[in-house]
Amino acid sequence: MKKMVVVRMVVLVLITIGILGFTIYSKTLDSEKVRSRISELYRMELNDFYPSKKPKKKEINQPIIITYFHTDCSSCQTEIKDIQAHESLSQSAKIVLISDEYERVIKKFVQNFEVDTSKFRIILDDESVLKNHFGISLVPAAFVYGAGSLLVESFKGETKASTFYKLIK
């Protein structure tokens, strides 16, 4: 009887280890797919409302900093305020803010936090296309692309504007 319990326990432990190993392996493969997908800037028509005009040719050839955010996230708010306060950053790179929240919520955030829409392109990701493309699971998430549209660095969590600036200079 005791041997049977021990055998069952060993089998249970082996099954658990196997499931954990497969889960870790699957997550690693998913991470590799996302890294490969985001290695070059994803170009598509986007539903943005700040600014309403199309980017100029000069802006397309600039470094681009993309921050995926939520309006109620305090780390996101701090990061956006820091980026906005860093004058050299907005002059050296195109800054894109993306959220999958309702348009009215984003517009209220822009107004309440006095986000300077001349410094940011704000994009509504209403179908979570970009969220899925970039593999966003935590906000803020930031992606820095060089002038050649290749990924320089990606960040999960709050990142200082000075860190972004060092990467694009």
Side-chain angles (χ1 to χ4, degrees):
M1 189 69 161
K2 286 183 181 183
K3 281 187 176 183
M4 193 67 128
V5 171
V6 169
V7 168
R8 286 184 181 167
M9 291 299 284
V10 168
V11 168
L12 230 143
V13 167
L14 290 174
I15 290 172
T16 303
I17 290 171
I19 291 171
L20 286 172
F22 179 75
T23 302
I24 291 169
Y25 176 73
S26 293
K27 290 209 182 273
T28 302
L29 282 180
D30 289 345
S31 294
E32 287 299 319
K33 286 178 187 176
V34 168
R35 267 188 287 250
S36 174
R37 228 179 15 240
I38 68 172
S39 65
E40 192 167 349
L41 189 59
Y42 183 55
R43 298 224 187 260
M44 65 177 286
E45 286 298 314
L46 301 167
N47 184 10
D48 61 340
F49 44 92
Y50 293 113
S52 57
K53 62 182 178 6
K54 293 278 185 204
K56 298 175 190 155
K57 192 119 177 131
K58 174 188 172 260
E59 294 172 336
I60 293 171
N61 293 324
Q62 285 182 291
I64 297 174
I65 299 167
I66 298 172
T67 296
Y68 207 99
F69 76 103
H70 283 168
T71 58
D72 60 352
C73 163
S74 62
S75 293
C76 300
Q77 294 168 5
T78 302
E79 183 173 301
I80 291 169
K81 284 180 183 177
D82 188 38
I83 291 171
Q84 187 165 254
H86 197 289
E87 287 297 321
S88 299
L89 184 61
S90 63
Q91 293 171 359
S92 302
K94 183 71 182 160
I95 302 168
V96 180
L97 303 179
I98 304 172
S99 180
D100 60 355
E101 297 174 286
Y102 292 112
E103 185 174 344
R104 64 177 164 70
V105 174
I106 298 169
K107 285 184 175 182
K108 185 177 178 183
F109 170 80
V110 167
Q111 183 180 19
N112 290 346
F113 283 86
E114 299 176 352
V115 176
D116 184 350
T117 57
S118 68
K119 293 183 178 183
F120 299 102
R121 180 174 181 201
I122 302 174
I123 296 173
L124 172 64
D125 186 24
D126 55 351
E127 295 180 13
S128 298
V129 171
L130 295 172
K131 183 178 189 176
N132 294 330
H133 175 78
F134 286 105
I136 306 291
S137 59
L138 172 75
V139 291
F143 306 87
V144 178
Y145 287 88
S149 297
L150 295 178
L151 183 67
V152 175
E153 188 78 47
S154 64
F155 301 90
K156 290 183 180 180
E158 186 181 329
T159 308
K160 296 284 184 199
S162 58
T163 302
F164 294 142
Y165 188 69
K166 288 176 189 171
L167 288 172
I168 63 168
K169 282 322 256 174

